[in-house]
Amino acid sequence: MIDCLRRGLARDGAPRRLEETVRLCERIMEGRAFVPAEPRTGFWGFLSDVFRFSWASVALPQAGALLLAALICAGARDAACAPSCSPLFVLAAVPAVFRGQYCRTSELEAATRASGPQIILAKLILTGAASLLCMTAVLAMQARLPGGLPPVGRVILYWLVPYLACMTVMLALIRQRRSDGMALCAAAALASCLFWRGLSRLWPALYEASAVGLWVAGVLVFSGFFAKEILFIVKANKEGKMYGIVH
Amino acid sequence: MELSIDRLTKHYGSKIAVDCVSAELTAGVYGLLGANGAGKTTLMRMLCAILESTSGEVFFNGEEVTGMGAAYRDVLGYLPQDFGYYPNYTAGEFLAYIAALKGIPRPIAQRRIRQLLSALGLQDAAGKRMRTFSGGMKQRVGIAQALLNDPQVLILDEPTAGLDPKERVHLRNLLADYAGDRIVILSTHIVSDVEAIADQVLLMRNGRFILRGTVPELVRQAEGKVWELTVPEGQAREWEDHFTVANFRHEGDRVVLRIISEGRPAEQAVPCRATMEDLYLCYFGQEA
C-alpha cells in the first residue's frame, strides 16, 4: 500500500500547469503594483529641499567653527596649528546631523519617502560641502602664518586625517543608536582638536616631509572606516531599514 | 488594497512586545484598543517599516513592505504617539518640510498644505511658530502631516491625545470622511473614539490580538456581564474592592454602581445594556 502511494506521488509530483500559474500570478501582481498618482521629487530636488529647510542648522555652526578656527590661527605661532582645527568642523555638523534626535522628529521623518538613512546622507553632503568651504578659508589664513603652507598634497593629508577620524566616530555613534551620541560626538570632536594640537607641538617632525608615509597610512585607515560607515547607511537605505534613533 | 500581517513578532531581549500577530486588513477604519504596554506602538512601528520585526512580515498588496522601500512610504501616512517638531518652524514651514521629505513637488505641496490647514482649523495659525501652539494644535499639525501625501495606509498612534472634545469629534468626522477606500489604523485609549468611527476593532493584550470584530459584535460579548446595583454610599468602596466598577452615580444618599461581572454580583443587581467601554473593562478591568 505504502509502495503504491509512493509510486503514485512520484509520478504526479510535478505540477502540470506551473508556467501557466506563474504567468497568472505575474499578471495579478502587475495589476496590483503601486503606481504613484502624482510625481515625486528626485534626490537632487530632495537635497535642495533639505538645504532650504536646514540651511541655518548647517551653515551657522560651520560659520561659528570658521570664526573659532580663525581666532586660533590668529593667536598661533606655527602653521601646524591650522589642521588641528579640522575636528571643529565635525563638531559644527553635530546640530544638523542630530537635529532629528533632539527635536524627536526622527520617527516621523523615518516614515517618509526620504527615510532616515537618506536624510542623514543629505545632511552629511550639505555639512561636508559647508565644511570644505570653511576649511579652505582657514587654509588661506594658514598661508599667512610662519612656516606657511606645505605642498597641497600634504595639506590635504593633514586636514583629512583628523576630519575623517572624527566623522567616523560620529557615524559609529549614530549607528550604535546611543542616546548620548550627540554629547559623545561633541566631546570626541573637542578632544580630537586638543589631541592634534598637542601632537603638533610635542612632535613637530610629524608635519615634515619625512612623515608623509604615516599620514598616508592614517588617511587609508580612516577612509576605510569612514567608507564602511557610509556603506552601512547606503545599505540601510536600499534595504529600507531604520538608521539612527527612533524614540 | 490589502495590508497583511503575517505572524509578526517583536522581542526586546526576553520581553515579547508583539507575539505572532496575524491579520488581513482591507479598506476601512481599524481601531486598535489595548492597555499601556499591550504592544500597540510596537506593532504600528513595524507596520510603518521603521522597526524591524524579530520574525514575521507585513505585506502591502502582496509585496513585503520593507522590500518596497520608498514605494511603500509613498502610500503611507504616519502619526507617531509622541511626535516631535522643530520649535522654530511655523506650522506652514513644518508641513512644507515634511512634504519635501515625502517627495511632494512644491506647487502640489503648497496647495495641499492650504487645504489641510483649513480642514483642521489651523488656517490662522499657519504663520505662527509651533513652539507657541497648544497641545491640541500640535496634534492637529501632526495629523495634517500624516495626510500630506494622500496616503492609502494611514496609521495614527493616539491621534486624539491632547484634543478637547470638540476637536476630537471634528477629527473623528474628518477621518470617517477620509477613510473611504483607504486603510486607516488608529490606536487609542479613548474607547468612545473607536466606538464612533472604527469599522473593525482589534483588542490587543500582551502583544496579541485577543478579539476582533465590529463594535456591535464585540459589545454583544459583554452582554449579560454588566449590572447596575444601588447601594448605600458607605458600601460603594467595598464593592469596588471585589468587582470591576465601571461607573459610580450618586442618587441622594445612595450610589448606583455599574459593575462588570460574569455572574450577578448581588440579588438586587439588575442587568443593563453593555457598551464598548464595558467590553474594554471586561478584558482590562484588572490592569486598569
Side-chain angles (χ1 to χ4, degrees):
Chain A
M1 170 103 170
I2 289 170
D3 285 345
C4 183
L5 265 174
R6 274 186 188 148
R7 271 198 304 277
L9 286 171
R11 193 170 55 241
D12 290 327
R16 291 179 202 150
R17 297 166 67 188
L18 181 64
E19 278 182 29
E20 190 188 332
T21 310
V22 168
R23 273 200 302 279
L24 182 65
C25 289
E26 279 173 355
R27 259 205 317 279
I28 291 169
M29 291 311 291
E30 273 168 24
R32 292 173 122 190
F34 169 70
V35 181
E38 58 191 26
R40 292 283 183 252
T41 49
F43 182 75
W44 296 109
F46 160 70
L47 195 63
S48 91
D49 279 331
V50 173
F51 181 70
R52 186 159 61 93
F53 288 102
S54 319
W55 70 268
S57 66
V58 170
L60 295 180
Q62 293 288 337
L66 172 63
L67 197 69
L68 194 58
L71 286 173
I72 291 169
C73 287
R77 289 181 201 152
D78 61 313
C81 81
S84 62
C85 295
S86 74
L88 283 179
F89 296 97
V90 178
L91 178 66
V94 167
V97 172
F98 285 90
R99 196 168 169 229
Q101 188 183 323
Y102 67 75
C103 288
R104 304 172 74 84
T105 57
S106 43
E107 186 177 358
L108 194 81
E109 291 173 348
T112 63
R113 181 183 171 83
S115 80
Q118 208 174 330
I119 295 167
I120 289 282
L121 274 179
K123 286 179 177 174
L124 287 178
I125 291 171
L126 293 173
T127 51
S131 296
L132 201 65
L133 283 175
C134 294
M135 287 195 281
T136 311
V138 182
L139 269 179
M141 291 172 213
Q142 187 187 356
R144 297 168 68 180
L145 289 172
L149 270 181
V152 179
R154 274 167 58 196
V155 169
I156 292 171
L157 290 174
Y158 297 161
W159 280 84
L160 213 52
V161 171
Y163 187 80
L164 282 178
C166 241
M167 275 305 243
T168 306
V169 169
M170 182 167 79
L171 295 180
L173 288 169
I174 299 173
R175 177 171 47 80
Q176 288 164 10
R177 296 180 180 173
R178 292 187 61 127
S179 55
D180 54 355
M182 187 166 69
L184 283 177
C185 183
L190 285 172
S192 174
C193 222
L194 293 173
F195 170 78
W196 290 102
R197 180 66 190 129
L199 202 65
S200 70
R201 297 188 80 155
L202 292 172
W203 193 13
L206 193 65
Y207 289 86
E208 285 167 13
S210 55
V212 165
L214 262 179
W215 287 100
V216 170
V219 163
L220 288 175
V221 168
F222 290 117
S223 296
F225 285 124
F226 182 69
K228 197 178 146 205
E229 295 295 339
I230 295 289
L231 284 175
F232 184 86
I233 302 175
V234 172
K235 197 171 159 225
N237 187 39
K238 269 189 186 162
E239 291 174 358
K241 286 185 178 165
M242 186 51 207
Y243 181 77
I245 287 182
V246 169
H247 289 280
Chain B
M1 188 173 43
E2 189 180 66
L3 192 70
S4 310
I5 307 169
D6 182 22
R7 288 165 289 171
L8 205 60
T9 303
K10 181 69 187 178
H11 294 182
Y12 291 108
S14 60
K15 189 187 179 316
I16 303 170
V18 173
D19 189 7
C20 203
V21 160
S22 293
E24 304 284 327
L25 311 179
T26 52
V29 181
Y30 295 84
L32 202 54
L33 212 53
N36 284 332
K40 302 187 298 288
T41 297
T42 306
L43 175 65
M44 288 193 147
R45 284 177 172 177
M46 288 192 286
L47 292 181
C48 291
I50 57 172
L51 185 67
E52 272 181 75
S53 61
T54 307
S55 66
E57 287 164 320
V58 180
F59 297 91
F60 178 67
N61 285 348
E63 272 192 81
E64 204 276 309
V65 296
T66 315
M68 282 176 78
Y72 177 62
R73 294 192 297 271
D74 264 338
V75 296
L76 176 74
Y78 176 49
L79 173 71
Q81 186 178 23
D82 181 19
F83 95 97
Y85 60 91
Y86 296 121
N88 286 332
Y89 281 9
T90 64
E93 283 169 347
F94 181 72
L95 291 176
Y97 172 66
I98 298 296
L101 297 187
K102 291 189 178 210
I104 304 169
R106 221 179 293 181
I108 299 172
Q110 289 303 326
R111 194 182 64 233
R112 198 157 294 155
I113 288 166
R114 271 198 304 276
Q115 286 169 349
L116 284 168
L117 286 173
S118 165
L120 288 157
L122 287 167
Q123 60 272 46
D124 297 331
K128 290 181 184 157
R129 301 221 180 272
M130 282 187 70
R131 62 165 173 248
T132 65
F133 281 15
S134 66
M137 285 166 87
K138 283 174 200 159
Q139 195 71 359
R140 279 184 280 159
V141 174
I143 291 157
Q145 66 75 29
L147 295 172
L148 270 172
N149 53 331
D150 194 16
Q152 298 289 299
V153 180
L154 181 62
I155 297 176
L156 307 168
D157 201 353
E158 306 278 356
T160 50
L163 299 183
D164 63 35
K166 194 179 148 199
E167 288 172 327
R168 269 175 46 212
V169 171
H170 183 69
L171 173 70
R172 284 185 335 208
N173 293 341
L174 184 89
L175 289 178
D177 269 353
Y178 182 81
D181 59 346
R182 298 171 173 89
I183 297 171
V184 179
I185 305 167
L186 60 100
S187 81
T188 180
H189 287 113
I190 303 167
V191 182
S192 59
D193 288 341
V194 170
E195 210 165 9
I197 55 165
D199 301 320
Q200 287 268 321
V201 179
L202 301 154
L203 213 60
M204 211 173 168
R205 186 163 68 181
N206 297 333
R208 288 178 172 229
F209 290 148
I210 52 168
L211 268 185
R212 181 186 169 168
T214 62
V215 171
E217 279 169 4
L218 295 184
V219 167
R220 261 200 299 278
Q221 301 213 18
E223 295 292 356
K225 295 176 187 169
V226 188
W227 311 87
E228 262 191 5
L229 178 66
T230 308
V231 295
E233 205 169 339
Q235 287 180 17
R237 294 289 159 204
E238 261 176 60
W239 282 94
E240 201 187 17
D241 289 342
H242 295 96
F243 293 96
T244 303
V245 177
N247 194 29
F248 288 82
R249 194 177 74 243
H250 287 269
E251 280 184 3
D253 59 347
R254 299 178 75 78
V255 180
V256 181
L257 306 176
R258 190 180 177 86
I259 294 174
I260 314 292
S261 166
E262 288 284 340
R264 191 186 286 264
E267 265 192 32
Q268 63 274 38
V270 286
C272 52
R273 287 191 70 175
T275 63
M276 195 63 200
E277 199 169 67
D278 297 325
L279 176 90
Y280 184 88
L281 286 172
C282 273
Y283 284 90
F284 299 104
Q286 299 303 317
E287 292 168 41

